Amino acid sequence: MPEAELISIFHKGMPIAAQGTSISDFLATKPNLFTSDFQFPIMILRESALEHNIKRMAAYCKSLGFEIAPHVKTSMSPQISQRQIDAGAWALTVANFSQASMMYASGFKRLIIGNEVVEPTSIAEIAKINGSGAGEIIFYIDSLAGLKIAQNSIAKVPNAKLHIFMELGSVGGRTGIRDLELLKVILVEIAKDDRIYIRGVSGFEGVIPGGNRKEEGIEKLRTFLRHIVAAARIVEPYVRGDKIIISAGGSNYFDYVAEEFAKYEGDAHRILRSGGYVSHDHIYYENSNPFMGLSDSERFYPALELWARALSVPDPDLALLNFGKRDAGIDIDHPIPILKLDGKLQPFAGKVFALSDQHAFMKITPGSVAVGDVIGCGISHPCTNFDKWRLLPLVNDNYDVIDLVHTHF
């Protein structure tokens, strides 16, 4: 159990005095982020935002008659994933068999690998799990070559069983079948193999070239989603299951997914696979998600914050914070300063304009930061931030630490 694990030097940011203490004993001391000697920098999760986002997305899907299979590559945390299952998630989505193995070992038995799998030993293990009835793992096929690899990989597996989504893609995009004529050819070949169960169709609209929330970009997204629906009509007669599954949905455009998938005439499981919503963020998703501009109860809230100290103020308008690329993701945006601890928490405005390995360069108003000050930053794109931290304090709105959340990347 995680509660019995000992806090150690391998858990960065944790108090020195807590090393060698079990997590449960540490939590019993009722620690606070700012008064219990946490070692900055440290990334934290706000419990109120996390719980709100999970419930908000679950309610949204339920209102449309959709299911959610959240993409847990975002956090790779069984603790967070269990909250999503408890809120009604149909399954969990992962990116590869390594992630599936970790989640399966953590007790989650219905998994979607949102990707092709071509590693023979991984495919064989999936076939064993499915064939035994102990679990249900679905993965993608988008080519005859991929199908052949799957068939060869299970040749010696007793009672082998593979669950498959046919993945659709777009020209210039990522993986997935572009041509529906190729889809028909692959379907005919799969139909000859009673070990392979076609479950439905899938795709990912978040990487469609030119897709965005402007008029032209929206039409490109909708065109791709209609491509998936057209594929579903072709695939449906080949489905081996109670009804076809139609799946897509990142965290930016799931509203368009819902609208287009609703146009499929037949009986279907319609499943969103959004992941980033769970912690949301302060920049990237905040400025592009379907709930922008809605009321406080209907929007998502940023749950991740990165807290750091000012190491140096070498110029009047420059402060160096003690976090860097090893602590925060910067694939889309730099972290954004939002708070300062000055006796109490105060709004703070600065601009992080560069990160090196262990330093953040922050433009400031002269006199607004002193050496040793504690600064809180919002982040952009949670998928490249969780992976920097093995253990994250989960805090309430007073920054009391109510749990420690493990990640497994």
Side-chain angles (χ1 to χ4, degrees), residues 4 26 49 56 102 105 161 213 227 245 319 335:
F26 175 68
R56 175 69 178 101
M102 191 280 287
K161 185 175 185 179
R213 288 193 171 274
H227 182 57
I245 297 170

Side-chain angles (χ1 to χ4, degrees), residues 5-15 19 23 42 389-391 406:
E5 182 179 344
L6 298 184
I7 297 168
S8 76
I9 58 172
F10 299 109
H11 299 125
K12 65 180 181 178
M14 297 300 294
Q19 293 174 11
I23 288 175
I42 190 165
W389 300 86
R390 291 179 57 189
L391 203 61
H406 292 73

Side-chain angles (χ1 to χ4, degrees), residues 83-318:
R83 286 175 177 247
Q84 293 171 292
I85 290 290
D86 291 344
W90 182 82
L92 300 179
T93 302
V94 293
N96 51 47
F97 184 64
S98 175
Q99 292 181 2
S101 297
M102 191 280 287
M103 287 297 176
Y104 183 77
S106 298
F108 303 102
K109 303 305 182 185
R110 181 187 282 161
L111 301 165
I112 298 170
I113 299 176
N115 212 342
E116 285 69 29
V117 179
V118 296
E119 189 66 42
T121 53
S122 298
I123 296 170
E125 190 63 24
I126 291 169
K128 291 177 187 177
I129 291 170
N130 291 338
S132 71
E136 179 181 350
I137 301 176
I138 305 169
F139 68 90
Y140 294 175
I141 283 179
D142 74 347
S143 67
L144 287 169
L147 172 60
K148 187 65 174 177
I149 290 172
Q151 291 171 321
N152 290 341
S153 299
I154 62 175
K156 297 181 180 180
V157 177
N159 303 312
K161 185 175 185 179
L162 295 179
H163 296 289
I164 297 300
F165 282 164
M166 306 307 300
E167 187 191 15
L168 282 299
S170 66
V171 174
R174 208 167 62 181
T175 50
I177 299 166
R178 274 68 162 154
D179 182 359
L180 294 183
E181 292 305 311
L182 174 59
L183 172 64
K184 295 174 184 177
V185 172
I186 299 173
L187 290 171
V188 169
E189 291 303 310
I190 292 177
K192 300 174 184 177
D193 194 328
D194 62 6
R195 303 168 300 174
I196 302 178
Y197 289 65
I198 298 174
R199 302 294 301 278
V201 296
S202 185
F204 178 52
E205 76 290 346
V207 292
I208 298 305
N212 55 48
R213 288 193 171 274
K214 297 178 181 178
E215 184 176 353
E216 184 178 347
I218 292 170
E219 185 54 32
K220 290 180 178 179
L221 293 168
R222 290 189 182 278
T223 297
F224 172 65
L225 295 167
R226 292 168 192 146
H227 182 57
I228 297 177
V229 172
R233 298 186 182 109
I234 296 170
V235 169
E236 194 278 334
Y238 295 88
V239 168
R240 298 172 68 184
D242 60 338
K243 51 188 172 182
I244 190 170
I245 297 170
I246 309 176
S247 178
S251 292
N252 279 335
Y253 309 119
F254 56 78
D255 50 341
Y256 304 137
V257 175
E259 290 170 8
E260 294 299 331
F261 281 12
K263 298 174 184 177
Y264 177 76
E265 305 86 350
D267 194 14
H269 288 297
R270 295 171 176 86
I271 298 176
L272 296 180
R273 300 190 315 278
S274 311
Y277 77 89
V278 72
S279 65
H280 196 52
D281 66 16
H282 288 79
I283 310 172
Y284 175 59
Y285 287 130
E286 176 66 11
N287 294 321
S288 60
N289 79 91
F291 298 157
M292 289 186 301
L294 298 184
S295 67
D296 287 350
S297 64
E298 295 179 303
R299 55 168 293 201
F300 289 137
Y301 286 93
L304 284 172
E305 294 174 0
L306 178 59
W307 286 86
R309 284 194 186 273
L311 288 175
S312 177
V313 186
D315 301 318
D317 62 349
L318 175 67

